[in-house]
Amino acid sequence: MNHFLDIHKTDKAALRSIIDNAMAMKQARLGRPKAMLDDEKPLDGRMVALIFEKPSTRTRVSFDVGVRQLGGQTMVLSGNDMQLGHGETIADTARVLSRYVDMIMIRTFDESVLEEMAEFATVPVINGLTDRTHPCQIMADIQTFEEHRGPIKGKKVVWCGDGNNVCASFLHAAGQFGFDLTFTGPVQLDPEMEFVGLARNQGSSIVIERDPFKAVEGADLILADTWVSMHDAQSARERRHNMLRPFQVNQKLMDAAKPDALFMHCLPAHREEEVTSEVMDGPNSVIWDEAENRLHAQKAVMRWCLGV
Ligand code: CP
Ligand code: NVA
């Protein structure tokens, strides 16, 4: 049994096998009549709890569909409706849930909730986003890049904007998959230096560049995310927008990267804020493949967690 808590906490060979398996499962479904899709049900008879303490569209639907495609069943739980949100400890919740279900996916606020869940659960726990990281998203992103451009190893990835949870998991991936990452954003919103150091120690070049146009020179992949994450105070919205406006991904910025640079965004996007519609809907954007690949990548994550 394996937990999938973070990219830097997962063995490199396991990460590679998850991506390869995700691609193979996606490929296997292509062009097959629906009647033939039911032959492999590795999660047959298994129940997966999907716990959400924050809103979600992609994570909720892709995990739910993914479990069903693998032959299992799901139970979607809102943190607020559980005793978890009303004083029962995380450890006790983990112990109890482990008696009912075969795997737990949780989206929460503080990462200590995820860690405690994993410590006390006797079934695999998957990180569906915390304030600090979002590893499932980045597995889908690596799959998407490699589908379009081949191995990501040695490529230049540029993160524009807030050094947030998604950026953190990209830094983890830089170290593990061996690509370089340039962060461009305001100094107040730099990514965690601990994660920058981790990636550098693994041999990746991690650059912090305040000029977005310099940052994207030679880029193979450009990334954006919302300027106000779910855990950020709404009162900080205007201040954050003012700081982040110069780092918007627009066509002018895309034109300063390699001509075939891809654009990705984990979504939900705020059109005309962190990215323009021209870029989102433009020829270099692979955001819909990226969203689709949440399904395939997470199916592979779940199979790895259960060893099936
Ligand atoms: N990208 C992502 O995790 O989207 P949701 O918040 O809709 O799950
Ligand atoms: N950084 C965003 C990602 C949403 C998928 C957030 O945490 O709200």
Side-chain angles (χ1 to χ4, degrees), residues 55-60 107 129 134 137 230 266-268 294:
S56 167
T57 297
R58 278 143 290 268
T59 307
R60 181 184 306 243
R107 166 169 287 193
L129 178 146
H134 194 7
Q137 177 68 54
M230 291 180 274
C266 64
L267 306 178
R294 294 293 303 278

Side-chain angles (χ1 to χ4, degrees), residues 107 129 134 164-166 225-226 228-231 266-268:
R107 166 169 287 193
L129 178 146
H134 194 7
N164 64 14
N165 45 1
V166 180
D225 187 13
T226 179
V228 185
S229 282
M230 291 180 274
H231 59 273
C266 64
L267 306 178

